[in-house]
């Protein structure tokens, strides 16, 4: 079947989508957006987190067909313009870099989307709120302290705009 959807503000479509195919596969393999990662593909790790109609979801748990006529925003869509051409990253992305919250980086896109959602909803999150917001996102490398520091920093930057 053909699936039409809006991704990062652009109308996109893919043909010959299999009925059991995930939104994650559609994004990565058909639409050329590999930012969302395919770690567990069972809803356990959060590395595939994207916005679907403004709410964060695990893209591996959403059937591609469920995204028909809906709006998806991936980690690639958080930056303003094209970072490869020197345009600005989102403050959450900048904060992850500044705080050294990235090691292998496999978990990072999902954490960035989850943290982005938190700081958009909650201008001054407590540590408890940060931990709760990121509870569905696993990281095997960092021990989480630098990630918490990155989210605190991102919240401060966003609040200070
Ligand atoms: S790849 Fe989707 S939750 Fe792990
Ligand atoms: S940085 Fe490697 S899994 Fe998080």
């Amino acid at each position: 079947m053909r699936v039409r959807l809006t991704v990062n503000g652009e109308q996109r479509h893919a043909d010959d989508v299999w009925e059991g195919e995930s939104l994650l596969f559609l994004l990565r393999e058909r639409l050329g957006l590999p930012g969302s990662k395919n770690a567990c593909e069972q809803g356990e790790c959060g590395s595939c987190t994207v916005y679907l109609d403004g709410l964060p979801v695990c893209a591996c748990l959403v059937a591609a067909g469920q995204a028909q006529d809906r709006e998806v925003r991936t980690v690639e869509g958080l930056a303003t313009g094209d970072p490869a051409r020197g345009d600005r990253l989102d403050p959450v992305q900048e904060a992850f870099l500044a705080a050294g919250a990235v090691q292998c980086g496999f978990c990072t896109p999902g954490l960035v989307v989850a943290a982005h959602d938190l700081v958009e909803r909650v201008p001054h999150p407590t540590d408890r709120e940060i931990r709760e917001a990121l509870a569905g996102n696993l990281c095997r490398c960092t021990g989480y302290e630098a990630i918490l520091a990155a989210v605190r920093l991102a919240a401060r930057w966003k609040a200070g705009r």
Side-chain angles (χ1 to χ4, degrees):
M1 64 177 166
R2 169 173 281 203
V3 174
R4 288 191 189 83
L5 68 170
T6 303
V7 183
N8 299 332
E10 287 180 22
Q11 277 295 320
R12 302 289 304 267
H13 72 269
D15 288 321
D16 302 323
V17 174
W18 171 57
E19 284 155 16
E21 193 171 303
S22 70
L23 174 60
L24 180 61
F25 186 93
L26 177 80
L27 292 169
R28 288 178 55 86
E29 307 300 334
R30 296 188 186 273
L31 301 183
L33 291 165
S36 315
K37 295 292 178 269
N38 52 343
C40 72
E41 301 194 60
Q42 308 182 47
E44 301 284 346
C45 74
S47 70
C48 62
T49 305
V50 299
Y51 285 108
L52 179 62
D53 289 343
L55 292 176
V57 297
C58 290
C60 70
L61 294 183
V62 176
Q66 287 178 283
Q68 176 76 26
D69 297 326
R70 298 175 74 181
E71 200 159 317
V72 174
R73 192 175 180 197
T74 71
V75 71
E76 290 97 336
L78 299 186
T80 307
D82 181 358
R85 293 201 309 258
D87 296 333
R88 285 194 58 79
L89 295 174
D90 182 85
V92 176
Q93 295 169 313
E94 296 278 11
F96 269 69
L97 289 172
V102 181
Q103 288 189 24
C104 80
F106 215 80
C107 67
T108 309
L111 278 160
V112 165
V113 174
H116 184 273
D117 173 62
L118 173 67
V119 300
E120 290 288 321
R121 287 184 296 106
V122 185
H124 302 285
T126 63
D127 276 6
R128 185 189 178 104
E129 287 170 323
I130 295 172
R131 287 175 190 276
E132 281 177 4
L134 304 186
N137 294 75
L138 302 182
C139 175
R140 292 291 175 90
C141 304
T142 65
Y144 297 99
E145 284 306 320
I147 292 168
L148 290 173
V151 181
R152 289 184 205 113
L153 183 60
R156 281 207 304 278
W157 284 350
K158 287 235 178 194
R161 269 186 188 168

